[in-house]
Amino acid sequence: MTLWGGRFTEPLSQAVRDFTSDPADRRLLLVDVHGSIAHVRALIAAGLVSGEEGQDLVAGLEQVLVEATAGGFVYEPTDEDVHTAVERRLVELVGDVGKKVHTGRSRNDQVALDLRLYLHQAATGRMGDIDRLVSVLADRAEEVAEIVVPSYTHLQQAQPVSLGHPLLAYAWMLLRDRERFADAAARIGVSPLGAGAGGGSTLPLRPEVAAAEVGFDTVFTNSLDAVASRDFVAEYVFACAQAMTHLSRFAEDLVLWSSAEFGWITIPDSHATGSSALPHKRNLDVAELVRSRAAVVIGDLVAMLAMQKGLPLGYNRDLQEDKRAVFHADDTASGSLAVLAELLGVIEFHPPPPAPETVALLVAERMVSRGVPFREAHQQVGALLTRLDVDGRSLGNVGEKDLEGSAIRLADVEPSDPDEAARRLQSPGSGSPQSVLAQVAEIRHRTNAAQPG
Ligand code: ARG
């Protein structure tokens, strides 16, 4: 028997039952019960159930909670969704009074509440996952602060910087992702309970009581908006998709860095994977999978937006599919953050030094410091590199003779190895080892301050 069988005279086709019910929402079991307890408390406050009935309902729901927590909650094949299952079980446990639980409520506001409760908690989880990865990034950056590598633009060696600098670039991206989860949580934490099917209720409901019971400070102000809108889900998926996009970029760098051509990192056997055909290979499959899972999460975001765009106002069953998208996005973000934190912890760094010509900007800026216009300095250093190229030489071993007829002085080119160039970076936020250490301190300060309690 379905919940809604009253006006139906024929049993539901098995094919329709199979097609319309989706066990994906079973993840909402615990929050569904918590939401129902809050709803019952609001019903008591509004005088819609007596204190005694309310007590029985809460006791029954608490029993459901025990079953749910112990993993012993049993679904029946006829349970259309998690909400139906909980109500069915409640009636089994407490008898007829259980039939009062849905007073002034619809699954339309119920499912919106459940999802909000679930995602509010999930956001805290992802923020914790980000904190863990950021903390490993900061630790590793501190450790390798003195190792100098080229920074890249257009995948060409650009300027010598501390190896900690690219690592921390990812830490800063992730800290903004963390803020996005916090921002999303603020808009998620609005209770839709009391919106009913979408138009509200003729009963004197107390939505603010239910909101306070679930721990949300804010209540909906338009009942149609409350049941029909899923921008809070899309926003959560966006937070996941943007974080995954950052992780995917980081993964791509790890793949590059682990190649023979870069030779920056080695992955221990415990975290590399082999090739079934090529005995010598050590692949970084973890990073490759993060990269492609980011693509699927971007797909989840597109699905969330497309799902909403043509819906007539009000709840529509289309919205049932939001759960698959958001749970997938959330699980993928969580899993990727965790595995990359672990991987990063075991990577061995041994990058070769940057090419000698990466000190070209240092030479030009020394000239600028003594008053040469930058364009002129750029031109002169470029010309010097061309002259050196002829004998297969580069900056780093330049003598007086090489500078004849040039505006470049020996003091401009000496000392000019990449380590020196990285150490001399002094603009705020630049890639010097000192800047990396200052960034590490700032990141630790911010993440400690952001810890709850
Ligand atoms: N299972 C549905 C969902 O996930 C719950 C709401 C169903 N409401 C309805 N009137 N059929 O969206």
Side-chain angles (χ1 to χ4, degrees), residues 30-349:
L30 289 179
V31 289
D32 191 79
V33 182
H34 282 299
S36 292
I37 292 174
H39 174 61
V40 169
R41 298 220 159 103
L43 290 179
I44 302 171
L48 289 164
V49 297
S50 70
E52 204 178 315
E53 289 170 326
Q55 255 178 20
D56 289 349
L57 286 168
V58 170
L61 287 164
E62 277 169 355
Q63 178 57 32
V64 177
L65 209 52
V66 170
E67 296 177 2
T69 314
F73 185 88
V74 181
Y75 291 90
E76 298 293 343
T78 48
D79 294 334
E80 185 183 308
D81 54 24
V82 70
H83 326 292
T84 319
V86 169
E87 188 172 336
R88 189 246 326 130
R89 181 67 185 137
L90 178 65
V91 175
E92 284 168 10
L93 287 167
V94 302
D96 275 353
V97 68
K99 296 179 181 168
K100 290 201 169 189
V101 73
H102 214 49
T103 306
R105 186 175 70 169
S106 155
R107 280 182 296 163
N108 298 353
D109 57 346
Q110 188 177 1
V111 70
L113 175 71
D114 288 4
L115 209 44
R116 284 174 181 275
L117 289 173
Y118 184 94
L119 294 181
H120 204 262
Q121 285 173 9
T124 310
R126 291 312 68 73
M127 285 155 70
D129 294 338
I130 290 175
D131 286 343
R132 280 183 283 282
L133 177 52
V134 166
S135 129
V136 184
L137 282 164
D139 290 350
R140 299 303 318 257
E142 181 176 48
E143 196 184 313
V144 300
E146 296 294 331
I147 300 180
V148 170
V149 292
S151 62
Y152 284 82
T153 80
H154 313 272
L155 201 56
Q156 306 290 333
Q157 294 202 8
Q159 290 173 266
V161 293
S162 159
L163 171 56
H165 204 49
L167 295 179
L168 293 184
Y170 287 111
W172 290 110
M173 293 178 213
L174 285 162
L175 287 172
R176 290 193 299 279
D177 293 329
R178 187 189 199 285
E179 287 175 12
R180 267 183 279 276
F181 279 105
D183 290 348
R187 267 179 295 278
I188 287 168
V190 177
S191 176
L193 206 54
S201 172
T202 58
L203 300 171
L205 299 177
R206 303 276 306 274
E208 74 288 358
V209 176
E213 286 289 344
V214 295
F216 287 169
D217 316 328
T218 337
V219 186
F220 70 95
T221 39
N222 179 307
S223 55
L224 271 173
D225 175 36
V227 299
S229 298
R230 291 294 183 272
D231 50 299
F232 71 98
V233 184
E235 188 175 356
Y236 190 93
V237 177
F238 173 71
C240 295
Q242 183 59 70
M244 282 305 298
T245 305
H246 287 151
L247 296 184
S248 176
R249 258 183 115 160
F250 182 42
E252 166 59 11
D253 271 338
L254 292 177
V255 171
L256 277 177
W257 296 351
S258 69
S259 68
E261 286 71 12
F262 268 76
W264 283 26
I265 60 175
T266 304
I267 314 296
D269 285 355
S270 54
H271 290 71
T273 40
S275 157
S276 62
L278 307 171
H280 66 285
K281 287 198 49 206
R282 296 158 60 78
N283 299 331
L284 196 36
D285 289 18
V286 164
E288 293 170 30
L289 287 168
V290 166
R291 219 164 46 186
S292 82
R293 287 181 193 169
V296 189
V297 173
I298 292 169
D300 293 328
L301 176 60
V302 174
M304 274 314 306
L305 296 172
M307 197 182 297
Q308 299 171 72
K309 68 173 270 300
L311 289 186
L313 188 60
Y315 172 83
N316 296 273
R317 190 66 177 268
D318 310 49
L319 296 177
Q320 179 164 289
E321 299 297 306
D322 62 357
K323 286 172 251 352
R324 280 171 186 257
V326 72
F327 294 155
H328 177 266
D330 192 42
D331 289 347
T332 308
S334 171
S336 306
L337 286 161
V339 79
L340 284 179
E342 183 177 316
L343 183 66
L344 184 62
V346 298
I347 286 176
E348 236 181 80
F349 290 99

